[in-house]
Amino acid sequence: MCERCVREEYPDRESLCVDQGSYMINFFKCCQCGAQDMTTVNRSCTDSGDEEIITYHHVCSQCDHVIAEHEHTFRIEEEFQIYSMSCMLCGSAEDQRSIMPIDPRGPAM
């Protein structure tokens, strides 16, 4: 992971947890070659029964320099779906969604 390629390390994304794509506005440029274009590679999904983990790398599309490693997790705890994301480029976030038709916590604010 390369802190010289991003504008801000691990920006707070509140509840926005993505399992694909890139937060391009936070990408400065590749510190190796200066390119301003990237792609994602090495996507893998691990399902351990009660937790799903998706990981992939953001890399420079010109020189394959690794910019950041993206990790997205999903699990179910009691009546909630729990999502989290950790990536130097895309940021950090956590979210909970009720699996019930009506959220027992009440309407979202």
Side-chain angles (χ1 to χ4, degrees), residues 6-48:
V6 298
R7 296 181 192 282
E8 178 184 354
E9 295 178 40
Y10 298 97
D12 181 7
R13 300 298 301 278
E14 298 180 13
S15 64
L16 178 66
C17 298
V18 295
D19 62 355
Q20 61 184 349
S22 305
Y23 185 39
M24 293 300 291
I25 200 159
N26 193 37
F27 179 51
F28 179 58
K29 65 179 179 180
C30 176
C31 70
Q32 297 284 324
C33 71
Q36 293 183 312
D37 191 28
M38 76 172 108
T39 189
T40 59
V41 297
N42 302 329
R43 183 180 169 89
S44 69
C45 180
T46 306
D47 190 349
S48 66

Side-chain angles (χ1 to χ4, degrees), residues 50 66 79:
D50 60 344
V66 177
E79 297 178 349

Side-chain angles (χ1 to χ4, degrees), residues 6 17 21 24 42 46 62 64-65 76 85 90 92 98 103 106:
V6 298
C17 298
M24 293 300 291
N42 302 329
T46 306
Q62 300 297 313
D64 293 328
H65 172 69
I76 295 178
M85 174 182 76
C90 298
S92 298
S98 175
D103 192 333

